[in-house]
């Protein structure tokens, strides 16, 4: 079965500090991993994805994520947080082998960047 | 967000009303999706269409009826809804249904059922 866990409902970080939003996953085949961000009253915006290749993936707005197969994790990171990064972040996974159409999402992590 | 648009953005309806949500994608994609987003719960996939053919129906109650007249438009027809159906309904599209394709989301329709 496929699943995604975002262990932190809320992450607070000071502006200018590095940020990490955690994600772990479970799939039976090869994982295809995605990060999305949602601002208030808006839909989900795609940030980055891991399909294959380099474990460090760079995406929009200076975000990056590191795929760690042994720890089944795909944590989102940014070296220096901005107040405008405050939003709800979702990790999602699809199983590359089962062919299922479902993109399984975590419950989201609310990031607050404190000025 | 201009790639995928949704109307209306907000909808309030009674339990006996019939209404429809509309989604349009301007990305030339072949697959379209309806998701339900409720507070404190993961997004729930409701329906998937590929080349206008429904390929997924995740045990959604029959009071939700999707329609995909062409690859650019997707509708969700609503009738005799329940208050627990109140949620944000998100439409998404992707080039195809392969797992590597990114899904691009619209802004959503905030639905309130009284």
């Amino acid at each position: 079965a496929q699943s995604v866990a975002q262990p932190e409902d809320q992450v607070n970080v000071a502006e200018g500090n590095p940020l990490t939003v955690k994600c772990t996953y479970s799939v039976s085949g090869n994982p295809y991993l995605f990060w999305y961000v949602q601002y208030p009253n808006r839909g989900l915006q795609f940030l980055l994805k891991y399909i294959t290749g380099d474990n460090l993936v760079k995406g929009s707005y200076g975000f990056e994520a590191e795929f760690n197969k042994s720890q089944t994790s795909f944590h989102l990171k940014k070296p220096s947080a901005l107040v405008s990064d405050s939003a709800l972040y979702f990790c999602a996974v699809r199983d590359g082998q089962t062919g299922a159409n479902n993109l399984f999402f975590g419950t989201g992590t609310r990031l607050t960047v404190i000025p | 967000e201009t790639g995928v648009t949704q109307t209306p953005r907000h909808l309030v309806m009674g339990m006996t009303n019939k209404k429809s949500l509309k989604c349009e994608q301007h990305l030339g994609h072949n697959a379209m999706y309806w998701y339900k987003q409720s507070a404190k719960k993961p997004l729930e996939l409701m329906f998937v269409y590929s080349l206008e053919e429904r390929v997924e129906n995740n045990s959604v109650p029959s009071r939700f009826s999707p329609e995909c007249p062409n690859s650019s438009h997707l509708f969700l027809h609503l009738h005799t809804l329940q208050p627990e159906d109140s949620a944000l309904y998100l439409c998404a599209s992707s080039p195809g249904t392969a797992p590597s394709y990114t899904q691009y989301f619209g802004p959503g329709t905030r639905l309130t059922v009284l």
Side-chain angles (χ1 to χ4, degrees):
Chain A
Q2 304 167 70
S3 65
V4 172
Q6 292 182 245
E8 301 158 316
D9 289 339
Q10 174 82 41
V11 170
N12 296 326
V13 62
E15 185 177 21
N17 282 4
L19 69 87
T20 299
V21 183
K22 296 179 180 177
C23 171
T24 59
Y25 65 89
S26 174
V27 295
S28 55
N30 293 327
Y32 291 170
L33 294 153
F34 301 80
W35 274 103
Y36 287 85
V37 61
Q38 186 175 32
Y39 296 98
N41 300 315
R42 306 281 287 276
L44 275 66
Q45 288 181 233
F46 169 70
L47 282 177
L48 51 80
K49 68 180 178 183
Y50 171 82
I51 302 301
T52 186
D54 195 347
N55 289 344
L56 184 63
V57 179
K58 294 188 182 296
S60 307
Y61 313 118
F63 284 94
E64 58 188 28
E66 186 167 12
F67 171 64
N68 187 316
K69 186 173 183 179
S70 63
Q71 297 185 5
T72 62
S73 67
F74 190 56
H75 301 331
L76 182 71
K77 299 182 180 184
K78 188 174 182 181
S80 178
L82 301 173
V83 173
S84 57
D85 293 330
S86 299
L88 191 56
Y89 290 81
F90 290 95
C91 181
V93 67
R94 279 188 76 174
D95 189 324
Q97 289 188 334
T98 65
N101 288 307
N102 280 33
L103 183 59
F104 283 85
F105 283 84
T107 51
T109 298
R110 185 164 301 281
L111 173 68
T112 300
V113 181
I114 303 164
Chain B
E1 291 182 340
T2 55
V4 180
T5 58
Q6 290 185 242
T7 55
R9 294 292 306 272
H10 300 272
L11 178 63
V12 179
M13 58 187 291
M15 293 168 59
T16 58
N17 292 157
K18 290 184 179 182
K19 297 287 184 182
S20 296
L21 310 185
K22 178 183 176 182
C23 174
E24 184 174 1
Q25 59 96 0
H26 310 272
L27 300 170
H29 289 168
N30 291 322
M32 296 188 77
Y33 310 77
W34 278 117
Y35 285 87
K36 177 183 179 183
Q37 184 180 21
S38 305
K40 304 294 185 182
K41 293 175 68 176
L43 268 72
E44 301 170 54
L45 179 66
M46 300 175 71
F47 301 103
V48 180
Y49 277 82
S50 177
L51 296 171
E52 302 140 47
E53 178 181 340
R54 191 190 308 179
V55 297
E56 187 100 21
N57 176 353
N58 275 356
S59 302
V60 179
S62 60
R63 57 186 183 268
F64 295 92
S65 176
E67 178 190 2
C68 188
N70 55 63
S71 60
S72 298
H73 293 85
L74 185 65
F75 294 88
L76 188 63
H77 303 300
L78 316 171
H79 64 99
T80 59
L81 294 191
Q82 305 298 311
E84 59 264 29
D85 297 322
S86 298
L88 183 67
Y89 288 84
L90 293 166
C91 174
S93 73
S94 62
T97 54
S100 60
Y101 286 130
T102 299
Q103 294 181 22
Y104 294 90
F105 286 79
T109 295
R110 173 71 61 186
L111 174 67
T112 302
V113 181
L114 302 176

